[in-house]
Amino acid sequence: MSRPIQALIDLSALEHNLSVVRRYAPRSRVMAVIKADAYGHGLLRAAEALKRTEGFAMLEIDAAVRLREAGYRQAILLLEGFFAMEELAWIEKYHLSTVVHHHEQLAMLSAYRPRGGRLDVFLKLNTGMNRLGFTLEQFSAALETLKANPAIGQITLMTHFSRADESDGNESIAAQLQRFNAVAKGRNLPCSLANSAAILRYPETHADWVRPGIMLYGASPLPDKTADELDLHPAMTISSRIIAVQALKSGDGVGYGHMFRADRPMRAGIVAGGYADGYPRHAPAGTPVLVNGRRTRLIGRVSMDMLHVDLSGIEDADVGSPVTLWGKGLPVDEVAQSAGTVSYELLCALAPRMPIVT
């Protein structure tokens, strides 16, 4: 019998969450972000569930090629662009779009001689994220360089927001939007600005293309709104079972380092699942867990293959009892918050050994 831990990927949840995107941004085309193996959900699996989007966005050119070879004809955008001249032939061959965000990319594009096609580009403006993109002073010259290049097809203008997820980020968003509009105004070019948080909170940013990421997978990008409040359904549920039960006396420690000691007689369940499966090792005692559908807590230090849970008050729990580590009934956002991280990290950290079921 196989080890009981598994990741259930709910394709219908992905489809539903896409409908939520369209509800918030009905006049925009959707560029579904499926980087990092679709946030751990599986590239081709997620693409099939999201096939009604107008485009996909990712980092890896090999993943983009896999999508094309699997038959997807939507726009496919490389979010970090290209890194070497040789990649431009692949971008042309597979009709990919690429972000352009620095002068070296402009120089490579100017030197490239296409074999008959033209390259669609997203020209990125740094409006305050200070990560990728041309400055306000550089942007117009970069745009004119692209316009003068016969190898370039459609040009889309883009930026990325740094504080769209914050409840007090209005001023920051307004400032970034003002900077973007200052260079986009009158250009008559398509634009792309909004990530998941901006889609939900700032309709004035929706423009021609929106780029939803985390919301597609059923987690909330907003710290003051739960996924349930936003009508987002979890697309990944990590489930396992109790494989042993220990009866603890008052003062007994559990796990490596005895980071938890019982303050009374209690039962501890040992769950098949640890940091080698993708569960965060730094999750502290008190991190929520479901056993037999009832909420309890993690106790002790997470080890490579196992973790401990408190079975107090769950008298029917025993070897074989089902456990949910996050997903349906237990939002990944809650687990992430308890572990001092974000849902993105938990979803993307799913280990290769984790069995996937749909």
Side-chain angles (χ1 to χ4, degrees), residues 188-216:
N188 197 30
L189 292 172
C191 299
S192 177
L193 302 89
N195 57 5
S196 290
I199 290 167
L200 295 167
R201 186 165 267 164
Y202 300 103
E204 65 272 26
T205 69
H206 290 172
D208 302 280
W209 285 98
V210 293
R211 305 190 306 272
I214 194 67
M215 68 182 295
L216 290 173

Side-chain angles (χ1 to χ4, degrees), residues 108-125:
M108 285 187 275
L109 285 168
S110 295
Y112 181 66
R113 297 295 176 263
R115 302 174 184 178
R118 302 178 81 191
L119 307 180
D120 293 338
V121 301
F122 281 58
L123 181 62
K124 191 160 194 175
L125 174 67

Side-chain angles (χ1 to χ4, degrees), residues 67-144:
L67 273 193
R68 278 285 182 254
E69 292 184 339
Y72 292 94
R73 295 291 170 256
Q74 295 96 324
I76 299 177
L77 177 65
L78 300 173
L79 286 168
E80 289 183 353
F82 52 96
F83 302 92
M85 188 81 168
E86 310 84 71
E87 292 179 79
L88 291 173
W90 289 89
I91 290 171
E92 180 188 359
K93 177 180 178 180
Y94 286 96
H95 306 288
L96 308 178
S97 301
T98 178
V99 167
V100 175
H101 59 84
H102 62 70
H103 289 101
E104 287 78 5
Q105 289 173 326
L106 285 177
M108 285 187 275
L109 285 168
S110 295
Y112 181 66
R113 297 295 176 263
R115 302 174 184 178
R118 302 178 81 191
L119 307 180
D120 293 338
V121 301
F122 281 58
L123 181 62
K124 191 160 194 175
L125 174 67
N126 174 15
T127 57
M129 182 75 170
N130 292 317
R131 195 169 63 177
L132 300 181
F134 294 92
T135 65
L136 287 168
E137 295 75 20
Q138 300 166 334
F139 192 78
S140 292
L143 179 56
E144 293 308 312

Side-chain angles (χ1 to χ4, degrees), residues 20 27 53-54 58 90 92 218 285 288 324 343:
V20 175
R27 291 179 293 278
T53 60
E54 290 79 17
M58 62 193 66
W90 289 89
E92 180 188 359
T324 299
S343 56

Side-chain angles (χ1 to χ4, degrees), residues 223-276:
D224 55 344
K225 292 281 187 180
T226 67
D228 190 55
E229 288 172 324
L230 296 168
D231 190 29
L232 298 173
H233 297 176
M236 178 192 292
T237 297
I238 306 298
S239 65
S240 188
R241 293 188 179 274
I242 291 175
I243 60 172
V245 175
Q246 296 293 337
L248 305 178
K249 300 183 296 293
S250 182
D252 282 351
V254 299
Y256 288 118
H258 284 181
M259 302 300 290
F260 174 88
R261 286 187 180 275
D263 60 2
R264 64 190 186 282
M266 61 183 292
R267 293 195 309 149
I270 292 77
V271 179
Y275 59 79

